[in-house]
Amino acid sequence: MSRYQKRQQKIWLNLIKMNLLSLIIGGSIFYYYETQTVIETLNKKINQQNQTINQQHHAQTSLINANHSLQEQLELALQTKATLENEATSQEDQLVALNEQNEQLNQNISSLSKQLEDLTKLNEQYISERPLSVNELEVKYRNLLGEAQIKASELENAKNDVQKERDEIQNYYNTLNEHFYVKDDLKVKLVETRTTDQHYWLAEVVASNETPLKGAMANNTYNGERETISSMAKRLNAILAINASGFYAKTNRPMGAVVRNGELISLDTSYTEEILSLKSDGDLTFTTINTEEEFKNADIQQTFTFGPILIRDGKPLEIKDTSYHPRTAIGQLDDNRYVLLVAEGRMEGAKGMSLQEAQQIFLNLGCETAYNLDGGGSTSLYFQGKLINTPSDGNERSVVDMIYF
């Protein structure tokens, strides 16, 4: 091989070495950067995992705190429940203790009364028998007697206080009974109103099929007899009753047709005005009954007469009479709900009531129907065993019929 060829070969070898070195260096640089990229990616994933782990740790911490809070609330609720149960038990114990104290108080009063009686006897005996020289014994005895009297006085005052409270409760109970009657089949509220020149009562009644509005005749006859409302009401065990129909003075027979418990008792062709009628469903209405045929075609259980009509279908009728007298009237609010009005008159402090005033009272209460009944000396209101109003005649007048519950 010539020198030139050797030189060329050497150059090529050097070039190859340089290329291989460049390739190795370039590959190393490439793998270095790739490795850095992978390391950075791994670091990011590690950071993300650390963040996730931190979030999970915070969430776990929050759950633990929430659980502790719930446990504390549960413990507080259990403590509150226990406190309420203890308070309830304490109140029951206090009530039992008060009852025992009241019983003990009565026993102490009885015992001290006996002791006082014994001491009084002992005092009498002591005064009659003691030696005049025993001053110390006398002072001691008088001190003991004074203490006993003070205790007896204190117990008597306590007993009086208890009795006073009992009397107040009884008076309140009696007041309620004077204004209310409440049973499943009948409810009555009686309201009294007094002004400078008027005195009247309104009775709101909630009736039922078992205790409906009813009518009764004097002495249970229809031949012209008369009887007071109090007498009729007691005879029929009525809770509430008022006088009802007008009647002819000569015969004492009621005006208009008479129907009782769905039976036509008598006709009165001379009476041409509409009369107050009670239907089988408890509604009050106005009808004319001049023949048996008219009665057969009508669903009527009871009738009452006097007038005038105050309200029809919720609307007031024109009334020209402006005079003041004792009044009895009835209105209906809705099914089995009625209002009875009784006003005193012709006496000091109670001049009576005009028909317009009675009409306005029923309108203010919302009555759909209202009718004026016999008034004057006949006006009577009976409630729970006694006559409530003062009749203008001074005494209760006998009448021919009544409305009652």
Side-chain angles (χ1 to χ4, degrees):
M1 180 180 298
S2 64
R3 181 182 293 180
Y4 174 77
Q5 288 178 336
K6 289 181 177 181
R7 187 177 179 179
Q8 287 290 114
Q9 185 179 8
K10 187 177 180 179
I11 291 171
W12 280 106
L13 287 173
N14 289 332
L15 287 173
I16 292 170
K17 289 179 179 180
M18 289 179 64
N19 287 333
L20 287 174
L21 182 60
S22 298
L23 183 61
I24 291 171
I25 292 172
S28 297
I29 293 172
F30 173 77
Y31 282 114
Y32 172 78
Y33 283 110
E34 285 294 319
T35 302
Q36 288 295 111
T37 301
V38 171
I39 290 172
E40 290 178 358
T41 302
L42 289 174
N43 287 332
K44 289 181 180 179
K45 289 183 177 180
I46 290 171
N47 290 333
Q48 290 176 353
Q49 288 180 351
N50 288 334
Q51 291 177 358
T52 302
I53 291 171
N54 289 333
Q55 291 175 353
Q56 291 177 347
H57 178 71
H58 289 312
Q60 186 178 11
T61 303
S62 299
L63 288 174
I64 292 172
N65 292 335
N67 186 35
H68 288 164
S69 178
L70 288 174
Q71 288 180 348
E72 290 175 356
Q73 292 178 9
L74 178 59
E75 291 176 358
L76 181 60
L78 291 174
Q79 291 175 0
T80 302
K81 178 182 177 183
T83 301
L84 291 175
E85 290 176 348
N86 292 335
E87 288 179 354
T89 303
S90 176
Q91 289 177 354
E92 292 178 358
D93 293 341
Q94 289 177 6
L95 181 59
V96 172
L98 285 174
N99 290 332
E100 292 176 352
Q101 289 176 7
N102 186 39
E103 184 178 352
Q104 185 64 41
L105 178 63
N106 291 330
Q107 292 176 358
N108 290 341
I109 291 173
S110 177
S111 175
L112 283 173
S113 297
K114 187 176 183 305
Q115 291 178 22
L116 182 61
E117 182 179 352
D118 292 340
L119 286 172
T120 302
K121 292 179 180 179
L122 181 61
N123 180 46
E124 294 174 354
Q125 181 181 358
Y126 172 74
I127 291 174
S128 63
E129 296 179 358
R130 67 181 176 84
L132 296 176
S133 60
V134 192
N135 295 328
E136 183 179 352
L137 180 62
E138 179 181 1
V139 172
K140 184 176 181 180
Y141 166 77
R142 291 189 180 280
N143 290 337
L144 289 174
L145 181 62
E147 291 176 2
Q149 289 174 339
I150 291 172
K151 289 183 179 180
S153 177
E154 291 175 350
L155 289 174
E156 187 64 26
N157 291 336
K159 182 179 179 181
N160 291 337
D161 291 340
V162 172
Q163 186 61 44
K164 183 179 179 180
E165 291 181 2
R166 290 177 179 172
D167 292 342
E168 289 177 353
I169 293 172
Q170 186 63 44
N171 291 335
Y172 181 69
Y173 175 77
N174 293 338
T175 300
L176 287 178
N177 282 341
E178 289 177 357
H179 294 84
F180 292 90
Y181 177 87
V182 179
K183 299 291 184 181
D184 290 339
D185 58 343
L186 179 65
K187 298 175 178 62
V188 179
K189 179 179 73 175
L190 186 64
V191 178
E192 180 181 10
T193 300
R194 186 188 294 273
T195 65
T196 55
D197 58 359
Q198 283 189 326
H199 188 200
Y200 64 91
W201 290 264
L202 286 169
E204 181 182 351
V205 183
V206 180
S208 66
N209 293 332
E210 291 74 20
T211 309
L213 185 154
K214 289 173 283 192
M217 301 300 296
N219 297 315
N220 200 29
T221 63
Y222 307 91
N223 58 2
E225 293 191 24
R226 289 165 58 180
E227 185 181 6
T228 64
I229 295 297
S230 295
S231 175
M232 280 190 275
K234 290 176 181 177
R235 176 166 53 82
L236 295 172
N237 296 319
I239 300 300
L240 176 69
I242 56 173
N243 63 294
S245 302
F247 53 92
Y248 297 110
K250 292 183 179 180
T251 62
N252 290 330
R253 297 182 67 85
M255 300 175 179
V258 177
V259 177
R260 287 292 176 267
N261 303 319
E263 179 183 357
L264 178 63
I265 304 302
S266 65
L267 292 171
D268 181 6
T269 55
S270 64
Y271 192 88
T272 59
E273 301 294 330
E274 288 183 284
I275 60 178
L276 181 66
S277 303
L278 178 72
K279 300 173 67 176
S280 58
D281 60 3
D283 283 347
L284 292 175
T285 186
F286 307 107
T287 56
T288 55
I289 303 175
N290 295 316
T291 64
E292 291 187 7
E293 191 65 27
E294 287 180 345
F295 170 72
K296 291 178 181 180
N297 293 331
D299 172 24
I300 298 176
Q301 294 296 308
Q302 313 284 348
T303 58
F304 310 98
T305 57
F306 195 73
I309 298 172
L310 303 177
I311 300 173
R312 187 200 298 269
D313 298 327
K315 298 179 180 179
L317 274 65
E318 182 182 2
I319 300 173
K320 296 182 179 180
D321 184 358
T322 59
S323 59
Y324 283 78
H325 298 286
R327 300 288 183 186
T328 303
I330 185 171
Q332 184 171 18
L333 294 164
D334 49 40
D335 294 343
N336 289 323
R337 286 183 64 210
Y338 309 94
V339 176
L340 310 184
L341 168 64
V342 171
E344 291 183 348
R346 302 174 186 169
M347 63 182 69
E348 185 178 355
K351 67 178 181 180
M353 182 175 290
S354 69
L355 292 173
Q356 291 89 346
E357 288 174 336
Q359 181 185 62
Q360 191 60 50
I361 288 174
F362 286 117
L363 285 172
N364 292 341
L365 293 173
C367 291
E368 292 293 315
T369 302
Y371 185 78
N372 182 56
L373 297 164
D374 190 14
S378 299
T379 290
S380 302
L381 172 62
Y382 175 95
F383 183 52
Q384 297 201 95
K386 63 181 180 181
L387 187 70
I388 301 300
N389 69 303
T390 301
S392 62
D393 291 349
N395 296 310
E396 190 176 357
R397 177 186 292 180
S398 297
V399 295
V400 298
D401 70 347
M402 73 173 181
I403 293 173
Y404 75 101
F405 298 89

